[in-house]
C-alpha cells in the first residue's frame, strides 16, 4: 500500500486528530472551523470525522484527510440496573469477605498510583464491569464504505478496534471489511488501537499493545495508531511491522501540558514512530499553533525537547493566546 499521501516523502507526519465528536467529546471542538483552520499550515494530515469534513469544510481541506469510518459509540456509560448490581455486590461480599465498594476503591487507588500489578488491574477492570457497561463505547460499526471515503476526498480511512471487550470480533470485522474495500481503491487503512476509559490502563500494557497491533495488521491495517507505553514501546513498534503513529490522549493531571507533550512526542520519535496523531494536546492548549510547530520540529527536524520548547516559546510570543 502506498502511504506517501499520508506520510509524505519522508515517511513521517504530524496528524492533527479532530475526530472526537463522533464519540461525544465536544469540549474544545464546539466550533471546529476556527479551531482547526489556523492549525492546518503546521500539520501534515487532518484526521477528522464526516461532519467536520462535510459541513464545516464543505468537503475541501488543503491537507490529506484521514477520515474516521467507524463510529456509533458513546461516552455515556450505561449503568447496570440495580436488580442485577445489588445481588452481584452481595455475592462478592459473601465470597470475598469485604464489600464490593471497598474493593473497587482500594484497587482504583492502587491503579491510579501506578502500583497495581497486572492481576490487580485485570481485577479492577472486571469489578468495574459490574458497575456500568464498560463496553458500550466499543460497540462500533462502520459509518462509511471504502468507496464512500474516497468519494468524500479522504486519503485514508480510520477504523477503531476494541480488543479485550465483547465487541472485539465486531470491531475487527469492521477493520477487515474496510481493508477489503479499501485495498483495490489504493486507500490506506489506519487501525486505531482503542483503549479509552472503558478499558483503562491498557495503554501502558506492552503485551496488550504488541498483540493488538499484530492482530490489527493481520486484519488489514496499513498503519497503526496506538499509545506510547514508555519502556518497551520500541519493541511494540518493531513487532507491528507497519508504520505506527502515536495517540496523544489527555495531558495527565499535574503535568505541564507543553513539556509533557513535547517529551512524549520526542520519546515516540526516538522509539521509532512514524509520526504523531495528537488532538486534545494541541487544540485544548492555550497556544495550539505553537504546540503544532514544536511537534513539527520534533517530527521533521529531529529537534530535541529543549529546541522544541524554545521554538514553542518563540511561537507563543508571536501569537499570544
Ligand atoms: C483514539 C482516537 C480519538 O478519536 C482521537 O483521535 C484521540 O486524540 P487525542 O487523544 O490525541 O485527543 O483516535 O481512539
Amino acid at each position: 500500500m502506498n502511504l506517501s499521501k499520508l506520510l509524505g516523502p519522508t515517511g513521517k507526519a504530524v496528524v492533527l486528530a479532530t475526530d472526537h465528536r463522533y464519540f461525544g467529546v465536544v469540549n474544545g471542538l464546539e466550533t471546529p472551523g476556527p479551531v482547526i483552520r489556523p492549525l492546518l499550515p503546521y500539520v501534515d494530515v487532518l484526521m477528522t470525522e464526516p461532519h467536520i469534513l462535510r459541513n464545516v469544510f464543505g468537503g475541501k481541506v488543503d491537507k490529506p484527510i484521514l477520515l474516521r469510518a467507524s463510529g456509533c459509540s458513546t461516552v455515556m456509560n450505561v449503568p447496570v440496573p440495580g436488580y442485577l448490581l445489588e445481588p452481584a455486590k452481595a455475592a462478592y461480599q459473601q465470597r470475598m469477605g469485604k464489600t464490593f465498594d471497598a474493593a473497587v476503591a482500594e484497587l482504583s487507588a492502587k491503579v491510579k498510583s501506578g502500583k497495581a500489578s497486572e492481576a490487580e488491574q485485570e481485577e479492577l477492570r472486571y469489578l468495574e464491569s459490574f458497575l456500568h457497561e464498560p463496553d458500550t463505547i466499543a460497540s462500533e460499526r462502520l459509518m462509511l464504505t471504502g468507496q464512500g471515503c474516497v468519494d468524500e476526498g479522504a486519503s485514508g480511512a480510520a477504523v477503531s478496534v476494541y480488543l479485550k471487550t465483547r465487541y472485539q470480533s465486531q470491531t475487527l470485522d469492521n477493520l477487515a471489511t474496510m481493508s477489503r474495500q479499501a485495498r483495490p481503491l489504493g486507500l490506506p487503512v489506519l487501525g486505531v488501537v482503542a483503549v479509552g476509559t472503558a478499558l483503562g490502563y491498557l495503554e501502558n500494557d506492552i503485551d496488550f499493545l504488541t498483540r493488538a497491533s499484530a492482530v490489527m495488521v493481520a486484519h488489514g491495517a496499513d498503519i497503526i495508531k496506538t499509545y506510547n507505553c514508555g519502556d518497551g514501546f520500541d519493541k511494540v513498534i518493531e513487532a507491528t511491522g507497519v508504520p505506527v503513529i502515536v495517540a496523544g490522549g489527555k495531558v495527565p493531571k499535574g503535568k505541564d501540558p507543553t513539556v509533557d507533550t513535547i517529551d512524549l512526542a520526542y520519546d515516540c520519535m526516538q522509539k521509532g514512530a512514524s509520526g504523531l496523531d495528537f488532538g486534545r494536546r494541541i487544540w485544548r492548549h492555550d497556544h495550539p499553533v505553537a504546540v503544532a510547530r514544536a511537534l513539527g520540529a520534533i517530527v521533521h527536524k529531529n529537534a530535541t525537547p529543549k529546541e522544541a520548547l524554545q521554538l514553542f516559546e518563540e511561537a507563543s510570543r508571536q501569537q499570544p493566546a
Side-chain angles (χ1 to χ4, degrees), residues 157-178:
V159 177
S160 293
V161 172
Y162 283 81
L163 295 169
K164 271 201 185 236
T165 75
R166 68 186 138 137
Y167 298 103
Q168 57 183 354
S169 298
Q170 175 182 315
T171 52
L172 276 171
D173 187 49
N174 292 341
L175 175 63
T177 301
M178 177 53 76

Side-chain angles (χ1 to χ4, degrees), residues 107-128:
L107 284 167
S108 301
K110 228 172 173 184
V111 166
K112 277 195 194 117
S113 70
K115 290 184 188 142
S117 67
E118 226 168 86
E120 286 167 327
Q121 294 182 11
E122 198 67 48
E123 173 77 0
L124 180 59
R125 219 169 358 247
Y126 174 68
L127 293 184
E128 281 179 338

Side-chain angles (χ1 to χ4, degrees), residues 17-20 22-23 47 68 158 160 162 190 192-196 225 227 246-250 277-283:
T18 63
D19 57 324
H20 306 56
Y22 91 95
F23 64 100
M47 178 186 189
R68 174 157 283 283
S160 293
Y162 283 81
L190 174 76
V192 181
V193 177
V195 290
K225 173 174 179 175
Y227 291 82
V246 187
K250 278 195 256 183
D277 190 358
F278 290 6
R280 288 163 293 179
R281 284 174 179 270
I282 300 177
W283 44 260

